[in-house]
Amino acid sequence: LRSKRVRRNEFLSLLVRIGDFDSGLSYGASQTGSGGGTSTSTGTGSADISFTRFVAENLAAFDFKYLDEVLHVIYQISAVIAGTGLNIYHQFESESHVGSDSSLASECAKLKRMTEASACIGILFALREFLKTHYNISESRCTAYNPGDTSGARDKPVTWHAQSSSDGSGGVQRRGQIVWGQHNPYAVQRMVSEQDYSNQRTQYLRLMAGSLAVDEESPVIGSGNRSFVDDAEKDDNGDGDGAALDPEELELLTMHDLDEA
């Protein structure tokens, strides 16, 4: 796929989108339907945290050769964060009371699914920072990236930079070795109790608040990144350009590339 830029980038985009789930983002809220009426999302989607982590670690282990490849993955992660990630953030802010009333069983179940989806978004956050660090890419370079621009980063080689492991072991962090740490424990630890879910929501709110702060060192979805939101909305509406991969072809490509990683 490396020699076919459009197909390669489409494949990388689809891998990133594995972490983007329909988690019932508008539970308890009325939406305007296509006929002008209102409907309520059922939120039947389910987030697979373990599989999202598996894909993220494989993406982190890919032997990227060109800057365009890494920037495209980072760009797509930013689109997911600016779309689904931001929606979850606002839901957590406005619906923080949900779960305290046992009569709201349906809403509680949807809130749990959103919480699990937020753990997947956290995994994408970690992958984004991992790629930036190990390929020595600045936030300004990420923000300036335009996937439609065929010049510039397209054929520029990129080099992996080994870093000391952040787990305190003193070793060198290898490809694919993302240290989840205390800021994202539920990437590897199963949420069981209500306290676990509450802790995840609290950590996610802090993570997103830091990214929304324009004075942070690494603002992912600040005011200058409206294009990420636009792209996310365009994808949701099915208006994206480019030929879509056949489902069988996508499955073969996914298994082949992950096996080689």
Side-chain angles (χ1 to χ4, degrees):
L1 288 176
R2 176 162 283 137
S3 61
K4 301 177 181 178
R5 182 177 184 269
V6 175
R7 304 280 280 184
R8 178 204 69 204
N9 286 353
E10 184 179 39
F11 173 67
L12 292 173
S13 299
L14 289 168
L15 288 180
V16 170
R17 293 285 173 176
I18 287 173
D20 185 9
F21 295 90
D22 172 16
S23 54
L25 298 180
S26 54
Y27 78 93
S30 295
Q31 295 178 314
T32 302
S34 57
T38 58
S39 62
T40 301
S41 173
T42 58
T44 57
S46 178
D48 191 332
I49 299 172
S50 296
F51 187 55
T52 301
R53 187 184 71 247
F54 168 76
V55 172
E57 289 174 342
N58 274 274
L59 279 168
F62 278 6
D63 184 17
F64 293 109
K65 298 296 185 183
Y66 300 108
L67 179 60
D68 176 66
E69 296 172 335
V70 187
L71 286 174
H72 190 78
V73 172
I74 292 174
Y75 179 89
Q76 291 300 326
I77 292 174
S78 297
V80 173
I81 294 171
T84 301
L86 193 58
N87 285 336
I88 293 175
Y89 173 72
H90 289 318
Q91 286 287 343
F92 285 173
E93 280 193 316
S94 61
E95 304 287 351
S96 59
H97 63 281
V98 173
S100 60
D101 189 342
S102 59
S103 67
L104 302 177
S106 177
E107 285 78 3
C108 290
K110 292 171 185 177
L111 181 60
K112 281 190 174 183
R113 285 195 289 271
M114 277 201 299
T115 306
E116 291 164 358
S118 75
C120 294
I121 300 296
I123 289 171
L124 294 181
F125 258 106
L127 172 60
R128 188 181 190 277
E129 291 306 306
F130 182 91
L131 294 175
K132 282 177 52 185
T133 299
H134 289 281
Y135 287 99
N136 196 24
I137 302 174
S138 67
E139 183 63 34
S140 59
R141 190 64 184 270
C142 296
T143 304
Y145 174 71
N146 178 5
D149 185 3
T150 59
S151 62
R154 180 172 181 176
D155 298 318
K156 186 175 181 179
V158 70
T159 303
W160 166 269
H161 297 273
Q163 303 284 336
S164 297
S165 179
S166 59
D167 60 4
S169 63
V172 175
Q173 199 169 9
R174 302 186 303 271
R175 293 181 188 272
Q177 188 184 24
I178 301 176
V179 178
W180 302 110
Q182 62 179 350
H183 300 297
N184 199 9
Y186 298 108
V188 292
Q189 175 185 329
R190 183 182 177 187
M191 286 180 279
V192 178
S193 66
E194 290 296 331
Q195 188 60 51
D196 289 336
Y197 280 87
S198 177
N199 290 342
Q200 167 58 28
R201 288 192 290 273
T202 299
Q203 290 171 343
Y204 184 77
L205 285 168
R206 290 173 180 169
L207 178 66
M208 289 296 293
S211 294
L212 287 167
V214 294
D215 58 339
E216 288 286 329
E217 180 182 352
S218 178
V220 178
I221 49 177
S223 58
N225 286 3
R226 173 64 201 175
S227 61
F228 293 140
V229 181
D230 293 338
D231 286 346
E233 292 172 349
K234 181 168 62 176
D235 288 342
D236 289 341
N237 293 329
D239 296 331
D241 296 330
L245 288 174
D246 179 85
E248 294 183 0
E249 184 180 26
L250 170 60
E251 182 178 0
L252 291 174
L253 288 171
T254 303
M255 297 310 298
H256 174 73
D257 278 58
L258 292 183
D259 286 343
E260 287 189 346

